[in-house]
C-alpha cells in the first residue's frame, strides 16, 4: 500500500494558493513548489527589508516571472499583510476563489528585552500576528462557503523554546500557534484545516543568527514539501505543530504531569499546600498528553464534588488534610504469608506456550518438550511462583485500599541460578516501601524465592493503587529498581511475534485469574473495548526475544529484567521488540506493530558476560581504549575534589554515549545531582537529564576547542537527548575541570 501511495503525485490543479512573504527564502520555495504541482499562486511580498522598512515590487515580480517561465500560473501582490483584504481580493480578481493560505511574511527587530522599544514590539506583532490574522480573516468566509480551506501559520522554535534577544518575535510566534489551534477547531466542520510549522531554514531572517555553513544545510527547499503536503486535500492533519528543517520533520505535542489537587471542597487553599505538593505537581512520571483542558478539570471537579457544589476559595477554614487509609509506618517492612509453589514439568511448558513459544520453531523445543536433553524453564517463569504475592496485600496492616483499583506498573526479576523444571519453591514477601504519588500510592513488594536453602530469584512488583495517595509520604525511594531509557540511536536488533487471539486465555492458566483478561463485560467496566493481554505476558515475549537474539536461548546467561508497563495489548496484535546492546545490558522497548504504541518502556535485560573474556594476565578486557577515556578520568579526579560545589552549581545528570565506527564503544555518566557528585562508567543509574551521543574523535575535537559544539549539533555529529539547555552547564565542567 505504501508503495502504491508513493507513486501517486500530490497535485493542486484548480487550486488557488496565496503565499505571503513569497519574494524570497521560504516563501519563494513554497510558491515555486505549489506552482510546479499545478496550483495558481498569488505571490505576495511588500519588498521591504528584514526590519520592516521600505517597499519594492521587484521581489514578488521576480518569483512570478520565475513561475511563468516554467509554464506556471502566478500573479503578484505588493500589499502589506496588514491589508489582508487587498491581498485576498487579488486572488479573487485573478482566479475567482481562494483555497490555501500560507502565512509566511515576517520581519526581525532583535533586541535584548531591556532594549526593546515600543516600535520594536509593535512592528513585530503587526507583521507576524496581526498580519496573519488580517489575511486569514479576509479569506475565512470564502473558505466556509466553499466548504474547503487549508491554512498554514508560521511559528518558530524561538516561540516554542525561547531565544535570547527575541522576546518580541517569540511572543508573536507563539501567539500564531494559539490562533492556529483555535482556527482548527472553528474550521473543522467547514473542512478548513489549520496547521502550524516552526521551520529552521536559510533566509533573510536567519542569516543574522546562523553561520553560513549551517545555512547551507538548512535550505528552504527542505521545508517546502511539508507545507505542500499539509495543504493537499488528501491530508487530514489539523491543529498540529511541526518542527522542520534540513530534511527532518517532527510533530510536537504537549505533555502534562498528573498534577495534584491541593484543596478539598469548601476548604482553604494555601501557599503551603502548593509548596508541600510541589514535587508531585512537577513530576512527569506517568505524564499524560492532553488534547484539551476540559478532561483534566472535569475530573478535578468530580473529585471535589459536583460542579454545582463547588464554591469559591474561602478566606478561612482548616488546612487540607489527607483522607488516605495508607499508613506507611505500619505497612513498610511487614512480611506477608509465605508462598509455597509446587509444580511439575507441566507448568514451565504451559508458561512457555503462554508467552508465545511454538513447535514451529525447533529452538523452542527445549522449553516445550520435557524429554529434550536441554529441557529448561524460561527465565521469566520466575514471576509465576511469586505472583500471588500481588494478591495478598489485604493482610498487610496500614494498607486499606480499593484492590479493584490496583495496577501493575513495573516489574523487576533477577535470577541467581537457573530455575528448576519441577519441585517446590518457597517465596518470602515483604512490603519494601510505599510512595505517595498524590493521585495514588506506589507499593513496592519484594519477593525472594528459595529452592530449599538456596536463593533462586528475586522479584520486585511495583503496584500503583489509584486514589490511595495523599497520605503525606515520600515520593522517591532508593529501593526502587529504576527503569533505564535506551540509547539515542536506531535499535541494533528487532524481533516480532504475532500474539494469538487466545493468548490471554492461555496465559491466565499460569495462575493470574483476573477476569479483565477473559471477560468482555468486565473489561468494558475497566474502560477496554475487549479483554487485554497480561503485562507479564508481554514481558515474557520481550525477554525471550532478547534471550534468542543475544544468548542463543541459553538460560544460564540470563541475569535480570526490568520493565515498565505503558500501554495495554489486545490479543492478536503483533509485539515488536527493539533492542540495543550496551555491553552485557540489552536495552529494549516493545511496541504493538499495528499502531506503533509502546507497551514496554524503560526496559532492559542484563546478561551474564557473553562478550568479553579475560586477558591471559587475568585482567578484564572490557573494551578497546579510547582517546576520550583520559578526559573522563581527569574529570572524575577533579569531581572528587570539587564535586559538592559542582552539584550546587549544575544539579544535573549527564550521560555520554561515545561511539566508534558507528557503534557505542563506551558510556560515561557525570552525576552532579546526587550526593557529592561522581563520574562513573556505564549508563546513568538515575534518569539522565541530558544524553550526548558522538564519536570518540568528535568528542576530543570539541574538548580541545577544534570543533564548535553548536556546529557539531547542527551537522549531526553531536546528538542530544533530554534537556538541551543543561548542555550549557557542561562548558564549566569541560573547561574548568578537564584541562589536559
Amino acid at each position: 500500500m505504501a508503495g502504491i501511495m508513493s507513486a501517486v503525485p500530490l497535485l493542486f490543479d484548480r487550486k488557488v494558493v496565496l503565499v505571503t512573504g513569497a519574494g524570497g527564502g521560504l516563501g519563494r520555495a513554497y510558491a515555486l513548489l505549489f506552482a510546479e504541482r499545478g496550483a495558481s499562486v498569488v505571490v505576495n511580498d511588500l519588498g521591504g527589508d528584514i526590519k520592516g522598512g521600505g517597499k519594492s515590487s521587484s521581489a514578488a515580480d521576480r518569483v512570478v516571472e520565475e513561475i511563468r517561465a516554467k509554464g506556471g500560473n502566478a500573479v503578484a501582490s505588493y500589499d502589506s499583510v496588514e491589508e489582508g483584504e487587498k491581498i485576498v481580493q487579488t486572488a479573487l480578481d485573478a482566479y475567482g476563489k481562494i483555497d490555501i493560505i500560507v502565512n509566511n511574511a515576517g520581519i526581525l527587530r532583535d533586541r535584548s528585552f531591556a532594549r526593546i522599544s515600543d516600535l520594536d514590539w509593535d512592528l513585530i506583532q503587526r507583521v507576524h500576528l496581526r498580519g496573519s490574522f488580517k489575511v486569514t480573516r479576509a479569506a475565512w468566509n470564502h473558505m466556509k462557503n466553499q466548504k474547503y480551506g487549508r491554512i498554514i501559520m508560521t511559528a518558530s522554535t524561538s516561540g516554542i523554546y525561547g531565544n535570547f534577544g527575541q522576546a518580541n518575535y517569540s511572543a508573536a510566534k507563539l501567539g500564531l500557534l494559539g490562533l492556529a489551534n483555535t482556527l482548527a477547531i472553528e474550521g473543522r466542520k467547514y473542512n478548513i484545516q489549520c496547521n502550524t510549522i516552526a521551520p529552521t531554514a536559510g533566509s533573510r531572517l536567519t542569516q543574522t543568527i546562523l553561520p553560513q555553513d549551517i545555512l547551507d544545510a538548512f535550505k528552504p527547499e527542505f521545508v517546502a514539501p511539508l507545507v505542500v503536503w499539509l495543504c493537499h486535500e488528501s491530508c487530514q492533519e489539523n491543529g498540529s505543530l511541526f518542527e522542520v528543517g534540513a530534511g527532518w520533520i517532527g510533530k510536537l505535542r504537549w505533555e502534562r504531569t498528573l498534577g495534584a489537587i491541593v484543596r478539598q471542597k469548601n476548604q482553604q487553599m494555601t501557599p503551603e499546600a502548593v509548596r508541600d505538593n510541589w514535587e508531585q505537581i512537577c513530576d512527569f512520571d506517568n505524564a499524560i498528553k492532553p488534547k484539551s483542558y476540559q478532561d483534566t478539570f472535569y475530573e478535578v471537579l468530580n473529585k471535589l464534588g459536583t460542579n454545582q457544589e463547588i464554591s469559591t476559595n474561602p478566606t478561612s477554614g482548616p488546612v487540607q488534610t489527607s483522607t488516605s487509609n495508607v499508613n506507611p509506618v505500619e505497612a513498610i517492612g511487614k512480611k506477608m504469608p509465605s508462598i509455597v509453589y509446587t509444580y511439575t514439568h507441566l507448568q514451565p511448558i504451559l508458561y512457555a506456550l503462554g508467552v508465545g513459544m511454538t513447535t514451529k520453531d525447533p529452538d523452542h523445543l527445549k522449553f516445550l518438550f520435557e524429554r529434550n536433553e536441554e529441557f529448561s524453564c524460561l527465565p521469566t517463569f520466575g514471576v509465576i511462583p511469586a505472583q500471588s504475592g500481588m494478591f495478598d496485600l489485604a493482610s498487610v496492616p496500614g494498607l486499606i485500599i480499593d484492590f479493584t483499583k490496583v495496577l501493575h506498573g513495573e516489574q523487576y526479576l533477577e535470577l541467581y541460578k537457573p530455575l528448576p523444571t519441577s519441585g517446590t519453591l518457597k517465596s518470602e514477601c515483604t512490603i519494601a516501601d510505599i510512595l505517595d504519588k498524590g493521585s495514588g500510592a506506589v507499593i513496592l513488594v519484594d519477593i525472594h524465592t528459595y529452592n530449599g536453602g538456596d536463593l533462586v530469584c528475586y522479584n520486585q512488583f511495583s503496584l500503583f493503587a489509584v486514589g490511595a495517595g495523599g497520605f503525606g509520604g515520600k515520593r522517591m525511594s532508593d529501593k526502587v529498581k529504576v527503569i533505564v531509557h535506551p540509547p539515542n540511536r536506531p535499535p541494533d536488533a528487532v524481533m516480532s511475534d504475532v500474539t494469538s487471539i487466545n493468548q490471554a486465555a492461555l496465559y491466565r492458566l499460569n495462575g493470574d485469574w483476573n477476569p479483565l483478561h477473559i471477560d468482555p463485560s468486565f473489561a468494558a467496566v475497566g474502560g477496554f473495548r475487549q479483554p487485554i493481554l497480561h503485562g507479564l505476558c508481554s514481558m515474557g515475549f520481550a525477554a525471550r526475544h532478547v534471550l534468542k537474539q543475544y544468548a542463543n536461548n541459553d538460560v544460564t546467561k540470563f541475569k535480570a529484567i526490568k520493565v515498565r508497563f505503558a500501554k495495554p495489548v489486545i490479543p492478536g496484535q503483533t509485539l515488536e521488540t527493539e533492542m540495543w546492546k550496551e555491553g552485557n545490558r540489552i536495552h529494549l522497548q516493545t511496541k504493538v506493530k499495528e499502531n506503533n504504541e509502546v507497551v514496554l518502556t524503560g526496559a532492559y535485560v542484563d546478561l551474564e558476560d557473553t562478550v568479553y573474556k579475560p586477558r591471559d594476565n587475568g585482567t578484564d578486557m572490557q573494551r578497546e581504549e579510547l582517546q576520550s577515556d583520559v578526559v573522563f578520568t581527569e574529570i572524575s579526579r577533579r569531581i572528587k575534589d570539587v564535586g559538592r560545589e559542582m552539584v550546587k552549581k549544575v544539579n544535573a545528570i549527564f550521560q555520554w554515549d561515545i561511539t566508534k565506527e558507528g557503534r557505542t564503544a563506551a558510556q560515561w555518566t557525570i552525576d552532579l545531582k546526587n550526593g557529592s557528585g561522581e563520574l562513573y562508567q556505564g549508563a546513568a543509574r538515575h534518569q539522565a537529564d541530558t544524553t550526548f551521543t558522538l564519536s570518540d574523535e568528535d568528542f576530543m575535537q570539541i574538548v580541545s576547542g577544534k570543533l564548535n559544539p553548536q556546529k557539531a549539533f547542527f551537522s549531526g555529529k553531536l546528538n542530544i537527548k533530554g534537556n538541551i539547555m543543561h548542555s550549557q552547564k557542561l562548558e564549566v565542567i569541560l573547561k574548568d575541570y578537564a584541562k589536559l
Side-chain angles (χ1 to χ4, degrees):
M1 183 66 179
I4 295 173
M5 291 298 293
S6 63
V8 178
L10 299 175
L11 301 179
F12 288 81
D13 297 337
R14 296 185 295 279
K15 288 291 188 288
V16 178
V17 181
L18 163 60
V19 182
T20 67
L26 284 168
R28 171 181 170 273
Y30 302 153
L32 292 177
L33 190 54
F34 275 117
E36 179 185 308
R37 299 297 176 122
S40 299
V41 183
V42 177
V43 179
N44 166 258
D45 201 294
L46 181 65
D49 59 33
I50 66 170
K51 293 187 176 181
K55 183 176 182 179
S56 171
S57 63
S58 60
D61 287 341
R62 279 195 301 269
V63 177
V64 169
E65 291 170 6
E66 195 173 353
I67 291 173
R68 290 175 176 173
K70 296 179 180 179
N73 196 346
V75 296
S77 163
Y78 316 116
D79 296 299
S80 165
V81 288
E82 291 190 86
E83 298 178 295
E85 294 85 357
K86 291 183 179 180
I87 300 174
V88 171
Q89 192 61 48
T90 299
L92 298 176
D93 291 344
Y95 303 116
K97 65 173 184 170
I98 179 73
D99 298 303
I100 297 165
I101 293 176
V102 181
N103 289 296
N104 174 70
I107 61 172
L108 281 179
R109 295 180 73 91
D110 290 354
R111 298 280 193 279
S112 64
F113 183 69
R115 297 177 58 220
I116 291 179
S117 67
D118 287 352
L119 180 61
D120 293 330
W121 181 270
D122 292 342
L123 275 178
I124 291 293
Q125 309 306 313
R126 282 164 50 190
V127 173
H128 290 273
L129 187 54
R130 190 169 188 267
S132 297
F133 157 71
K134 293 279 283 185
V135 171
T136 305
R137 188 180 65 175
W140 188 258
N141 283 334
H142 297 285
M143 291 180 171
K144 282 177 61 176
N145 292 336
Q146 69 192 17
K147 295 292 190 294
Y148 183 85
R150 297 291 185 267
I151 301 166
I152 299 293
M153 297 292 181
T154 304
S156 167
T157 53
S158 296
I160 299 169
Y161 305 110
N163 193 32
F164 184 88
Q166 292 192 310
N168 50 358
Y169 181 76
S170 300
K173 286 302 189 183
L174 200 58
L176 283 166
L177 176 60
L179 173 60
N181 289 343
T182 296
L183 294 184
I185 295 170
E186 293 188 11
R188 185 179 295 125
K189 65 180 179 180
Y190 303 108
N191 192 26
I192 301 174
Q193 295 172 188
C194 186
N195 291 288
T196 306
I197 64 168
T200 300
S203 68
R204 293 189 307 162
L205 299 192
T206 56
Q207 65 185 7
T208 61
I209 301 173
L210 300 175
Q212 187 59 47
D213 55 343
I214 300 302
L215 291 174
D216 294 340
F218 286 85
K219 294 181 179 179
E221 290 78 8
F222 298 152
V223 175
L226 169 64
V227 171
V228 168
W229 162 241
L230 290 173
C231 292
H232 196 264
E233 60 188 356
S234 66
C235 179
Q236 297 305 305
E237 195 72 33
N238 188 32
S240 297
L241 169 64
F242 298 88
E243 279 188 74
V244 55
W248 171 87
I249 302 169
K251 182 176 180 178
L252 284 80
R253 62 184 180 187
W254 301 112
E255 186 175 64
R256 183 168 63 205
T257 68
L258 290 176
I261 298 175
V262 297
R263 76 175 180 99
Q264 292 181 350
K265 191 181 78 171
N266 298 325
Q267 290 190 0
Q268 182 184 23
M269 178 175 170
T270 67
E272 290 78 13
V274 176
R275 175 199 64 199
D276 295 344
N277 286 275
W278 192 246
E279 187 176 356
Q280 179 186 344
I281 291 169
C282 300
D283 183 2
F284 276 90
D285 284 350
N286 303 310
I288 60 175
K289 298 172 178 63
K291 294 183 179 179
S292 71
Y293 75 92
Q294 288 99 332
D295 295 341
T296 295
F297 282 98
Y298 288 157
E299 179 183 353
V300 169
L301 292 176
N302 286 331
K303 287 182 177 179
L304 290 171
T306 63
N307 295 3
Q308 291 76 15
E309 292 175 325
I310 297 298
S311 60
T312 57
N313 190 27
T315 57
S316 63
V319 176
Q320 174 182 342
T321 59
S322 171
T323 59
S324 172
N325 289 316
V326 173
N327 186 338
V329 176
E330 286 188 46
I332 294 174
K334 287 295 184 290
K335 295 185 180 298
M336 293 178 280
S338 298
I339 303 167
V340 177
Y341 182 78
T342 300
Y343 61 106
T344 67
H345 62 267
L346 176 63
Q347 280 71 33
I349 293 173
L350 190 60
Y351 176 80
L353 292 170
V355 296
M357 287 203 142
T358 170
T359 55
K360 292 180 181 179
D361 190 332
D363 290 346
H364 292 181
L365 281 180
K366 65 182 289 186
F367 303 105
L368 297 174
F369 181 35
E370 71 280 5
R371 293 184 183 177
N372 187 287
E373 61 182 13
E374 295 182 352
F375 182 55
S376 306
C377 282
L378 278 170
T380 46
F381 179 72
V383 302
I384 301 302
Q387 67 182 356
S388 63
M390 286 194 295
F391 314 126
D392 289 339
L393 298 178
S395 65
V396 178
L399 206 56
I400 304 173
I401 57 178
D402 183 349
F403 291 98
T404 65
K405 296 183 178 180
V406 174
L407 307 175
H408 192 176
E410 298 178 8
Q411 182 69 31
Y412 178 79
L413 167 67
E414 183 171 353
L415 295 189
Y416 300 100
K417 54 183 61 181
L419 295 162
T421 56
S422 63
T424 297
L425 302 178
K426 184 177 182 180
S427 298
E428 303 294 344
C429 314
T430 305
I431 302 297
D433 217 339
I434 302 177
L435 308 180
D436 187 350
K437 295 294 186 178
S439 59
V442 172
I443 304 166
L444 300 179
V445 182
D446 281 355
I447 303 181
H448 294 81
T449 300
Y450 298 86
N451 181 19
D454 295 331
L455 179 60
V456 176
C457 64
Y458 158 66
N459 280 273
Q460 183 177 89
F461 293 81
S462 180
L463 309 176
F464 187 79
V466 178
F471 52 86
K474 60 185 179 181
R475 294 183 54 79
M476 307 294 290
S477 172
D478 58 6
K479 296 177 182 178
V480 175
K481 298 294 183 180
V482 297
I483 61 171
V484 181
H485 294 293
N488 185 21
R489 68 170 192 269
D492 301 325
V494 179
M495 192 174 292
S496 64
D497 270 307
V498 179
T499 63
S500 163
I501 195 71
N502 297 312
Q503 202 73 57
L506 181 58
Y507 185 86
R508 70 189 297 267
L509 301 180
N510 290 289
D512 186 344
W513 307 107
N514 190 336
L516 176 67
H517 307 293
I518 191 70
D519 183 354
S521 59
F522 193 92
V525 172
F528 302 103
R529 56 186 174 88
Q530 63 190 85
I532 62 173
L533 195 61
H534 305 68
L536 287 176
C537 181
S538 300
M539 185 185 85
F541 271 81
R544 66 177 184 78
H545 287 163
V546 173
L547 193 67
K548 181 171 184 177
Q549 179 70 30
Y550 291 105
N552 196 29
N553 282 334
D554 184 349
V555 298
T556 67
K557 300 301 184 184
F558 187 96
K559 185 177 180 181
I561 183 171
K562 171 69 181 186
V563 302
R564 170 177 285 175
F565 305 110
K567 292 276 187 177
V569 177
I570 304 299
Q573 291 180 324
T574 304
L575 290 175
E576 183 176 79
T577 302
E578 299 174 336
M579 295 167 271
W580 295 259
K581 191 176 190 306
E582 299 285 335
N584 292 330
R585 172 162 288 181
I586 312 301
H587 298 270
L588 68 94
Q589 70 175 12
T590 300
K591 298 178 177 179
V592 170
K593 191 172 184 178
E594 287 79 3
N595 58 25
N596 207 39
E597 287 194 337
V598 177
V599 296
L600 299 180
T601 184
Y604 62 84
V605 170
D606 285 338
L607 300 175
E608 299 290 352
D609 193 354
T610 58
V611 179
Y612 307 117
K613 296 182 179 179
R615 299 177 191 257
D616 292 338
N617 62 8
T619 60
D620 286 342
M621 184 174 66
Q622 293 297 318
R623 56 171 171 77
E624 179 184 354
E625 187 172 305
L626 303 174
Q627 297 179 74
S628 54
D629 290 348
V630 68
V631 177
F632 287 109
T633 301
E634 176 65 8
I635 293 175
S636 178
R637 187 180 69 80
R638 298 297 176 90
I639 285 178
K640 289 179 181 177
D641 297 334
V642 293
R644 198 171 295 277
E645 177 186 344
M646 293 303 298
V647 168
K648 293 178 182 178
K649 282 185 179 180
V650 179
N651 191 33
I653 298 175
F654 304 99
Q655 179 175 312
W656 294 84
D657 294 343
I658 306 297
T659 67
K660 189 164 187 178
E661 298 177 353
R663 307 279 293 183
T664 300
Q667 285 183 306
W668 296 88
T669 298
I670 303 176
D671 185 342
L672 294 174
K673 180 179 283 188
N674 300 291
S676 57
E678 66 173 323
L679 182 145
Y680 53 85
Q681 192 169 353
R685 297 166 190 156
H686 305 278
Q687 178 68 45
D689 294 290
T690 313
T691 299
F692 305 90
T693 303
L694 74 169
S695 71
D696 186 48
E697 180 181 352
D698 290 334
F699 177 86
M700 295 304 295
Q701 291 284 310
I702 290 176
V703 171
S704 61
K706 296 178 181 178
L707 176 61
N708 180 280
Q710 185 183 33
K711 289 186 177 181
F713 174 73
F714 281 113
S715 64
K717 292 182 177 181
L718 170 63
N719 291 317
I720 303 178
K721 179 181 178 181
N723 189 333
I724 194 170
M725 301 306 294
H726 276 322
S727 62
Q728 299 176 6
K729 302 178 180 180
L730 278 173
E731 185 175 2
V732 177
I733 301 170
L734 294 178
K735 282 190 175 181
D736 294 347
Y737 297 98
K739 294 176 181 176
L740 304 180

